[in-house]
């Protein structure tokens, strides 16, 4: 597993703004330029406006010129490891090949890994529009 990436996601989780759900999430993506971009969930009193950690990490990558995701890490707490929500699976798919690993982690040391393909099989993506 990519411990550096996981540690970035856990640090991002600690910065989350999640006063309404009480459910902080952190995410980190490793880009094709070798750099790591992290993000956290940012909730809002108008609940539907809250944004996911993965969305923030991807936006940071794009802003800095990263183009492709080579690995993802998502960190959260609770009974089960946090997998990306459906919308974020699609957002990850936009920039990641099917075999890209998605590492899940909590601060207690629990870990699991899936591929983008496993999380979003038969995905619609940029190739469909080519
Ligand atoms: N959340 C994420 O940030 N990423 C996910 O993939 C799952 C859910 C956030 C959204 C909301 O702020 C909180 O977790 C509870 O759903």
């Amino acid at each position: 597993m990519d411990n550096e990436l996981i540690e970035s996601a856990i640090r991002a989780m600690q910065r989350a703004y999640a006063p309404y759900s009480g459910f902080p999430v952190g995410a980190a993506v490793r880009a094709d330029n070798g750099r790591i971009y992290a993000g956290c969930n940012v909730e809002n009193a108008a609940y539907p406006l809250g944004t996911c950690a993965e969305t923030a990490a991807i936006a940071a990558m794009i802003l800095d010129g990263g183009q492709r995701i080579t690995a993802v890490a998502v960190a959260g707490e609770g009974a089960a490891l946090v997998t990306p929500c459906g919308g974020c699976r699609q957002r990850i798919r936009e920039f990641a090949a099917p075999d890209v690993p998605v590492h899940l982690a909590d601060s207690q040391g629990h870990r699991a890994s899936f591929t983008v393909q496993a999380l979003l099989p038969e995905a619609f993506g940029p190739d469909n529009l080519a």
Side-chain angles (χ1 to χ4, degrees):
M1 282 203 189
D2 189 333
N3 286 321
E4 186 186 21
L5 195 65
I6 289 170
E7 288 305 319
S8 294
I10 290 173
R11 276 198 303 277
M13 172 178 68
Q14 292 160 354
R15 295 288 182 90
Y17 178 74
Y20 305 109
S21 70
F23 196 79
V25 179
V29 297
R30 188 178 286 283
D32 50 351
N33 59 11
R35 300 189 67 170
I36 287 174
Y37 302 97
C40 59
N41 53 337
V42 180
E43 298 184 346
N44 193 281
Y47 291 177
L49 296 181
T51 49
C52 283
E54 297 90 329
T55 303
I58 290 169
M61 178 190 82
I62 294 298
L63 178 64
D64 195 51
Q67 295 188 324
R68 299 293 296 169
I69 294 172
T70 60
V72 180
V74 181
E77 308 291 11
L81 289 167
V82 175
T83 53
C85 77
C88 285
R89 292 177 197 208
Q90 186 71 40
R91 290 187 180 97
I92 291 166
R93 175 66 189 91
E94 182 74 17
F95 304 103
D99 63 347
V100 162
V102 179
H103 305 296
L104 312 179
D106 65 18
S107 63
Q108 310 302 307
H110 299 106
R111 304 281 185 269
S113 292
F114 297 90
T115 61
V116 168
Q117 159 74 21
L119 294 176
L120 194 66
E122 304 298 332
F124 181 84
D127 292 348
N128 290 92
L129 302 179

